Amino acid sequence: MSAPPIPPLVLASASPRRLDLLRQVGYEPATIDPADIDETPHARELPRAYALRMARAKLDVVAQRHPGALVLAADSVVVCSRRILPKTEDEAEARDCLMRLSGRRHRVLGGVAVAGPGPGGRVQTRLVETVVRFKRLEKPEIDAYLASGEWQGKAGGYAIQGRAASFVAFLSGSYSNVVGLPLFETVALLKAVAR
């Protein structure tokens, strides 16, 4: 008796970093289908609840479009002093984020949600927290980082896998979570719902 076929994997994200991370651990999505949802936090919504809500909302939208697939959705949230920092869209916003993070600890919350194939497919979610501390950033360092353009569209205005790696004085938890997807937890969830 042969094993049942593995269902196709759909990644509900346009993030090239999430795709690279999945490939790093041997997963190749059959389809990439971003959810394109409203990501505005609710009034007084706590960061942990927000990260999980975003991952689950993305999952719900994309799983409906791919009923026979294994669907993976995720969201990364950078939190400094209980404040959710934005996915930076302009240089002023990125500068503000970097100045807030300078010399301080912050948390990166990774919400992950997976759904198994079929209308009754199992859904599982996980929240992963990583603590990161930046060294105190000098103005020329911030200016040079902003000039690189690496901050564009990044939660908290930085990419740890790029030039901002030199800012990190301390990290506790999942490094891949800060990049965009906590791999250990994601693989465990995918295996659990694919059964």
Side-chain angles (χ1 to χ4, degrees), residues 35-161:
D36 194 26
I37 62 169
D38 178 8
E39 297 192 29
T40 307
H42 292 160
R44 293 184 297 282
E45 185 172 27
L46 295 175
R48 294 170 70 87
Y50 170 73
L52 275 176
R53 179 175 67 84
M54 284 295 95
R56 182 61 195 256
K58 292 174 183 179
L59 180 77
D60 291 344
V61 167
V62 175
Q64 286 181 3
R65 299 196 290 242
H66 303 275
L70 190 60
V71 180
L72 166 64
D75 195 68
S76 300
V77 178
V78 175
V79 182
C80 188
S81 296
R82 291 187 286 187
R83 176 183 176 154
I84 296 172
L85 298 185
K87 289 183 172 77
T88 50
E89 300 302 328
D90 61 54
E91 197 171 293
E93 201 172 43
R95 183 181 296 278
D96 180 63
C97 286
L98 292 172
M99 289 172 65
R100 285 180 187 280
L101 297 173
S102 175
R104 301 175 68 184
R105 284 188 180 210
H106 61 277
R107 293 176 295 142
V108 179
L109 304 175
V112 182
V114 297
R122 291 173 58 192
V123 172
Q124 291 199 6
T125 60
R126 183 77 51 86
L127 183 76
V128 178
E129 180 174 322
T130 306
V131 176
V132 181
R133 181 169 58 82
F134 273 15
K135 69 175 191 166
R136 188 163 302 282
L137 302 177
E138 304 292 336
K139 185 179 184 299
E141 290 176 302
I142 293 175
D143 291 344
Y145 190 73
L146 294 174
S148 77
E150 192 178 83
W151 52 268
Q152 294 176 349
K154 304 291 193 304
Y158 76 94
I160 196 170
Q161 71 277 19

